[in-house]
Amino acid sequence: MTDSAKNPVSVSIIGGSGYTGAELLRLIAKHPHFRLVQVVANRNAGKKIEDIFPHLRHLNLPDFITFEEMNFDGVELIFCALPHATSQEIIVKIPEGMKIIDLSADFRLESIEEYERWYGQKHIAPSLQEKAVYGLTEIYHKKIKKGSLIACTGCNSAATLYPILPLLKEGVITDDNLTINLGAGVSGAGRDAKQNIIHAEVSEGVKPYNVGKHRHIAELEQEFRKASNKKIDITFIPHLLPQNRGVIVSIPLSLPASLVHKTLEVFYEDSPFIIMLPIEEVPATQHVRGSNFCHIGVVSDHNKNRSVVISVLDNLIKGSAGQAIQNANIMFDFDETSGLLESPIFP
């Protein structure tokens, strides 16, 4: 049966009033195979979506409701876009057998102990954790297709894993330590008001944050270990960028650029959203803004036996809502590009 012949999938969103919720609304509303039936946002329940997101006024969207008002009859897929800890408290109340795509951190870590260590609170759904599939689409395509609970990755994690996992899987990287320099736009910190991300605190400057203790380190360690069968020591240096969207990662490697580039090019040759740039071309966040694409570049160091691999993606799309929808396409046997082929916005 072709995609066009299939009945639309009935979709609900829980947590529809944050940044990733807004992107889920925007993308799902025009998706050719999804039909949005309910949007939960407890703090804004009873309000029209256009009152919270005026840019979506032209779309025919349902009003916000509370979780208690949800009707699960006929719902085939739920996107959960709540903060960590809140997400698992809600997901345990969802009827069994429902397909769920979670955009929080609650089910990303396979080890309950690691989750509790990094997030500082008890995991209340270990039985659900056992069946969760890590949602890095291009790496876990087969598992996602068969999964019922998909734990989407962190945006910083995705931008880092895409260029490094293939090199580990193919045995190209033999070092036991990696230095990861990352820059992230302020929308990655969420929509709630915080002093450190207001305009006057962020504009006209760049500053490191959570050096050596960023929670995404746990994801990186987990996935690096699975890809290489050994522990990779990570020096992770994130920086807050004075821009709304975008993640850029640069990682120095003790490998020639030609080897790195060829390995990644072959690995991603059938991945429509991972774009390998010509060797020596440097990617930029503005070239993927508003899209589900990840651009990867490989640049030679002055030492011919060293190189730098650089990746960029939009944290709200490829790093979150777009990744979630790409995973949903795979789960329901649609073309994985369905509803996601919008070109990046420029300038």
Side-chain angles (χ1 to χ4, degrees), residues 85-101:
T86 305
S87 189
Q88 57 179 303
E89 291 175 357
I90 291 295
I91 287 177
V92 295
K93 300 176 183 177
I94 294 173
E96 290 187 19
M98 196 75 66
K99 290 185 182 293
I100 301 168
I101 297 183

Side-chain angles (χ1 to χ4, degrees), residues 115 156 183 308:
Y115 173 84
N156 295 340
V308 179

